[in-house]
Amino acid sequence: MTRISMIEHDGWSKALRDATNPDAMTPLERGTLRIMAHKPETALGFVGFFGALRGERTLPERLTELMRLRIAFHNQCRSCMAVRYSDAAADGVDEVLVCSLERPAEAENLTEREKLAIDYGERLATNHLSLDDEYHARLKKHFTEAEIVELGIFAALCVGFGRLGASWDMVEELPEAFRAREGGPIAPWGQREVVGVR
């Protein structure tokens, strides 16, 4: 059960409702905003930050979604792992591709750029001090500096908020495979049932 009470959108501040149009969202899409609504001004800041990040995105949806899902595995954020975004699906992310995240370095259906982005996100989640001068020189062979900044900010958002979401244990609306706690870590690959959102 979610560890912090959720405020449904009819109880949100007017400013937060106006900024997000929650009536057009599913409960899962309203996600952590239902908890952040306890701090409406902070929630508005998050919505603005996330909107700017998405609005200025230059990296492909496929690349960022694959990185997001691999980070979600390391965070063990069940809601992050269960969600599949329609923009990413339109850019070629399907469950076959998601299964390649089990061993991304060996995957034949990932580009070198995608493998590097996934590795970068994984290192931010597990060993950020390994991102040294040599690693950044490698990144610069595949990404512009602006893209590295975009990649880093998005990965940091996924790491931080994914861990926060995992600690809040928001799993009630997820498919059963993502709610179960037995059997060790859960992975986003190999799942039969996931949740699609806009």
Side-chain angles (χ1 to χ4, degrees):
M1 182 171 194
T2 303
R3 293 178 176 128
I4 306 289
S5 64
M6 289 192 250
I7 300 172
E8 291 305 330
H9 61 288
D10 57 352
W12 294 3
S13 71
K14 180 179 182 332
L16 185 56
R17 284 193 317 271
D18 290 347
T20 59
N21 190 17
D23 291 321
M25 304 163 126
T26 66
L28 191 60
E29 288 173 310
R30 289 190 288 272
T32 57
L33 284 175
R34 293 176 293 174
I35 294 176
M36 289 183 193
H38 286 282
K39 297 289 293 176
E41 292 301 314
T42 303
L44 275 171
F46 174 79
V47 167
F49 172 72
F50 190 72
L53 187 59
R54 281 199 61 83
E56 291 188 9
R57 181 173 288 164
T58 60
L59 294 168
E61 293 287 336
R62 173 180 155 131
L63 181 143
T64 57
E65 179 71 351
L66 292 170
M67 183 179 70
R68 181 190 74 79
L69 287 168
R70 185 69 185 174
I71 291 170
F73 167 70
H74 287 291
N75 286 343
Q76 282 297 288
C77 180
R78 294 159 189 272
S79 38
C80 297
M81 286 189 280
V83 169
R84 301 294 186 272
Y85 291 99
S86 61
D87 291 347
D91 198 19
V93 177
D94 58 18
E95 291 311 299
V96 171
L97 191 61
V98 171
C99 285
S100 68
L101 292 173
E102 186 172 8
R103 290 184 197 82
E106 302 168 18
E108 294 179 8
N109 57 348
L110 297 175
T111 68
E112 288 306 309
R113 192 169 135 106
E114 289 168 342
K115 288 177 184 181
L116 185 56
I118 293 164
D119 183 70
Y120 179 68
E122 184 166 25
R123 286 174 185 243
L124 278 172
T126 63
N127 185 13
H128 64 286
L129 296 178
S130 69
L131 298 169
D132 56 14
D133 291 342
E134 183 180 317
Y135 195 90
H136 276 85
R138 187 172 152 215
L139 281 172
K140 288 177 182 178
K141 290 179 182 175
H142 295 273
F143 298 96
T144 67
E145 288 189 332
E147 288 174 327
I148 295 169
V149 170
E150 181 179 334
L151 201 61
I153 291 171
F154 183 69
L157 178 79
C158 293
V159 171
F161 280 93
R163 289 180 180 189
L164 182 61
S167 77
W168 285 342
D169 199 32
M170 298 173 41
V171 299
E172 289 89 349
E173 296 153 345
L174 302 180
E176 183 60 38
F178 291 101
R179 283 188 258 154
R181 293 210 167 272
E182 296 150 15
I186 290 178
W189 49 84
Q191 298 294 338
R192 292 188 193 129
E193 190 180 355
V194 294
V195 181
V197 296
R198 286 179 277 119

